[in-house]
Amino acid sequence: TFDDSDLAYVTGPHHDSWVITIQIDSAMVHRVLINGGKVVNIIMSSTLKPMGVDESRIIKKSTNLVGFNGESKSSEGEITLLVYAKSVSSHEKFNIVNCPSFYNVILGRPWLNNVRAVPSTYHQYVKIPARDGAVEVIRGEQRILHECYAVALKPPRSGKSPK
């Protein structure tokens, strides 16, 4: 359950997405978007390379991914990586995508369902049942998300001064 005490770290009212930092394989990955509307987990190729993951683990399989605007993008392949949510871990399949993004990873329904997570974008939390009966809590990082929004909403630099 969630209650008002879960709002202690939330700046609101808001309509924010939910961004976290989480360990994937041996790397701490920042700017991870949690999106329960996605039917796949996505990792950007620019994120995967500095993680030091052996490229032989990549399965060269192109998957056509369609965004909310109807635009399609083909993945460069698939890879299974270990995702650690505090004491809860799961092997997750990721589609590798090469495109500009403010996010390094998008964790979708496959991860949420595999770890039996209960997310609340309003509270900016996800709660995950641990093996010992405890509940692990991962808090969203609104400040980081707002920084991503600020960069995304800046007008493009044309090199010309405004008239």
Side-chain angles (χ1 to χ4, degrees):
T1 64
F2 296 90
D3 59 37
D4 287 346
S5 69
D6 292 320
L7 295 169
Y9 298 96
V10 176
T11 303
H14 70 88
H15 297 290
D16 291 342
S17 300
W18 184 43
V19 173
I20 64 171
T21 296
I22 198 165
Q23 184 177 343
I24 300 176
D25 267 14
S26 61
M28 289 304 292
V29 180
H30 304 277
R31 295 190 332 265
V32 175
L33 176 69
I34 305 300
N35 186 337
K38 291 285 184 198
V39 296
V40 295
N41 297 314
I42 296 172
I43 189 164
M44 305 307 155
S45 58
S46 60
T47 302
L48 192 57
K49 289 174 185 163
M51 289 174 62
V53 175
D54 184 352
E55 288 188 25
S56 68
R57 293 173 59 189
I58 298 173
I59 299 167
K60 299 291 184 186
K61 177 182 176 185
S62 181
T63 302
N64 192 35
L65 305 170
V66 180
F68 72 91
N69 62 355
E71 182 181 336
S72 65
K73 179 80 175 164
S74 293
S75 69
E76 296 181 333
E78 295 176 355
I79 189 166
T80 299
L81 300 168
L82 191 55
V83 177
Y84 297 92
K86 299 199 177 180
S87 70
V88 179
S89 62
S90 62
H91 287 89
E92 299 295 331
K93 181 174 80 173
F94 289 86
N95 285 279
I96 304 165
V97 176
N98 183 9
C99 69
S101 175
F102 296 106
Y103 308 110
N104 293 312
V105 168
I106 301 172
L107 286 174
R109 283 195 310 259
W111 176 73
L112 289 167
N113 290 342
N114 285 343
V115 297
R116 301 179 310 155
V118 179
S120 172
T121 54
Y122 177 74
H123 294 93
Q124 292 285 296
Y125 266 55
V126 66
K127 295 186 177 186
I128 302 168
R131 287 191 180 100
D132 63 2
V135 175
E136 297 288 5
V137 175
I138 301 175
R139 183 180 312 129
E141 299 171 340
Q142 276 187 302
R143 182 185 58 79
I144 301 297
L145 181 66
H146 293 167
E147 290 172 8
C148 291
Y149 285 165
V151 170
L153 296 175
K154 278 186 181 177
R157 297 178 69 184
S158 63
K160 297 180 182 177
S161 59
K163 294 183 179 185

